[in-house]
Amino acid sequence: MILRGLRMMFKSTPPKIRISKRRQTKTAQEILDMLKKFLEEESAEPVEYLCGVWEQQKRGVTYAELRRAVKAGAIDTKWLRQWSEDYNRVVVEKLEPVWRKALASGASSNPLLRGGRLSWDSQSQRITEWVLERGGIFAEGCTKGQREAIQALLEYQLTEKLPIDHFCQAVMPCIGLTQRQAKSTMILYHRTKKDLIKDGLKTEAAHKKALSIAQKYAEQQHQRRALTIAQTEMAAAWNYGAEEAVRQAQEQRLIGHVVRRWCTSGDDRVCESCAALDGTEVEMDSRFNATTKTGSILSVEYPPLHSMCGCAVEYIEVQE
Ligand SMILES: [Zn+2]
């Protein structure tokens, strides 16, 4: 076993925050590379699956229902039930298998446990609870986000008063987008249409052209959202797997006292909050405290800190 000094033994608890900007150690870089490789190799399938779900959801909404929703200024509850069912199915059919693969990959990433030393229990109580909890949060969050997105469009219509048929056609491609994406799609449609009319096009022709541009844009946004979900969900499972492996190894008495060190990928895309955490060490039962853009403290056990976060944790044995 590797004994990494007595430093931690003399630290009082709660210890921790030690910030240093530095190049990653060889071990940390290896871990980060493994995570990156996993995310790159495994994203395509869940991305395609999610885009397929949104296609289905678009087909599940009729123009008659949409017109009624516009008149009422509120979303059809039938859609909400359907979306909630859809996202629960996404969890069972796609995310659970993807999570389990990521959990196992994360577990095998730990250099302390290479060479088949750990007898990995993929069905541990903690993993079962993690999958259940994450699945619930995911399905609820996606349904809520989708409701807020369409509701924001209905509110846009209240002030902008587009011709109802034109508006409904522009809402359709937004189903499955986040609120921000849906609004920017609608604004793109509306501005383009106004510009085209100013350029002399007839209303109907301007509508068709603007709609086609908005549809293409929405498609890109769906791809982007799917990638964000896939990578963030896989990164969460991967990092949880790495942590769970350490806990199991401790229970199997393969390793002793371990501290965790936050490691950022170090590329240009690392956000300020993650960069500030780089090199911070905490005990297994403590959390990493990150300062968000707004100055509030976000407390997490392991990465990802945010969507598309590529950070990982290096587990360092400080005492056998
Ligand atoms: Zn990060």
Side-chain angles (χ1 to χ4, degrees):
M1 287 191 208
I2 311 156
L3 187 64
R4 287 285 304 262
L6 301 167
R7 187 166 33 90
M8 290 306 295
M9 290 175 65
F10 298 104
K11 273 196 170 177
S12 58
T13 45
K16 19 266 153 179
I17 316 289
R18 189 173 65 83
I19 295 172
S20 57
K21 292 214 169 169
R22 60 195 163 77
R23 266 168 63 162
Q24 298 299 349
T25 61
K26 192 166 163 277
T27 312
Q29 197 52 55
E30 258 176 51
I31 295 170
L32 289 162
D33 290 346
M34 274 189 271
L35 170 61
K36 191 168 173 229
K37 185 165 178 273
F38 181 84
L39 296 179
E40 280 170 2
E41 286 177 357
E42 301 293 333
S43 292
E45 205 190 301
V47 165
E48 198 188 327
Y49 180 92
L50 280 164
C51 289
V53 170
W54 294 323
E55 273 307 313
Q56 262 181 0
Q57 287 181 339
K58 285 184 218 164
R59 287 197 292 272
V61 171
T62 67
Y63 279 108
E65 288 166 353
L66 204 43
R67 257 182 242 111
R68 272 202 301 277
V70 175
K71 281 181 186 148
I75 283 183
D76 195 323
T77 51
K78 189 197 94 176
W79 302 343
L80 290 180
R81 276 196 304 276
Q82 183 60 52
W83 296 343
S84 167
E85 234 175 69
D86 293 343
Y87 285 119
N88 279 296
R89 200 182 61 244
V90 169
V91 168
V92 175
E93 279 183 7
K94 188 49 67 185
L95 283 185
E96 263 200 52
V98 164
W99 280 333
R100 291 197 179 273
K101 206 168 174 182
L103 283 158
S105 171
S108 67
S109 71
N110 194 324
L112 296 174
L113 303 169
R114 296 240 174 90
R117 291 171 67 211
L118 174 70
S119 110
W120 168 244
D121 176 10
S122 63
Q123 308 290 329
S124 80
Q125 178 76 16
R126 283 185 296 260
I127 289 182
T128 308
E129 283 168 9
W130 186 91
V131 168
L132 251 179
E133 194 190 349
R134 187 129 191 131
I137 292 170
F138 175 85
E140 202 179 303
C142 285
T143 310
K144 184 170 171 274
Q146 202 145 314
R147 185 191 68 212
E148 287 166 354
I150 303 302
Q151 191 64 47
L153 297 184
L154 296 178
E155 278 156 28
Y156 183 85
Q157 171 67 354
L158 277 179
T159 52
E160 299 298 330
K161 299 194 174 30
L162 296 162
I164 190 161
D165 285 346
H166 288 184
F167 173 74
C168 289
Q169 284 174 35
V171 169
M172 281 296 186
C174 298
I175 292 170
L177 295 182
T178 63
Q179 181 173 336
R180 210 153 118 198
Q181 291 175 323
K183 264 193 100 168
S184 56
T185 304
M186 184 57 77
I187 290 168
L188 173 70
Y189 159 77
H190 196 183
R191 278 200 192 138
T192 310
K193 187 177 142 189
K194 280 198 273 196
D195 288 347
L196 289 169
I197 290 171
K198 227 186 270 169
D199 288 348
L201 243 69
K202 293 231 164 69
T203 308
E204 204 51 38
H207 160 68
K208 278 196 181 134
K209 193 150 186 210
L211 184 62
S212 150
I213 289 168
Q215 279 165 339
K216 282 200 192 91
Y217 176 76
E219 213 169 283
Q220 288 165 3
Q221 298 302 308
H222 276 113
Q223 286 282 339
R224 180 181 282 198
R225 184 178 181 215
L227 187 67
T228 302
I229 291 175
Q231 297 223 339
T232 308
E233 290 307 317
M234 288 194 295
W238 198 94
N239 278 296
Y240 186 69
E243 167 151 326
E244 171 65 11
V246 170
R247 293 199 190 278
Q248 289 188 17
Q250 286 177 324
E251 284 158 10
Q252 292 169 31
R253 300 192 181 283
L254 297 173
I255 49 176
H257 185 175
V258 166
V259 293
R260 342 186 245 188
R261 179 190 287 162
W262 191 280
C263 314
T264 64
S265 60
D267 63 23
D268 296 341
R269 292 179 306 162
V270 172
C271 74
E272 268 178 45
S273 305
C274 286
L277 273 182
D278 192 35
T280 302
E281 289 179 8
V282 302
E283 295 285 337
M284 282 297 282
D285 294 322
S286 301
R287 287 167 165 260
F288 292 98
N289 291 322
T291 310
T292 64
K293 263 190 233 158
T294 57
S296 59
I297 300 291
L298 184 62
S299 195
V300 295
E301 282 175 87
Y302 48 86
L305 186 64
H306 52 79
S307 308
M308 299 295 273
C309 168
C311 297
V313 164
E314 181 183 359
Y315 294 86
I316 301 160
E317 188 173 33
V318 288
Q319 189 186 2
E320 283 183 49

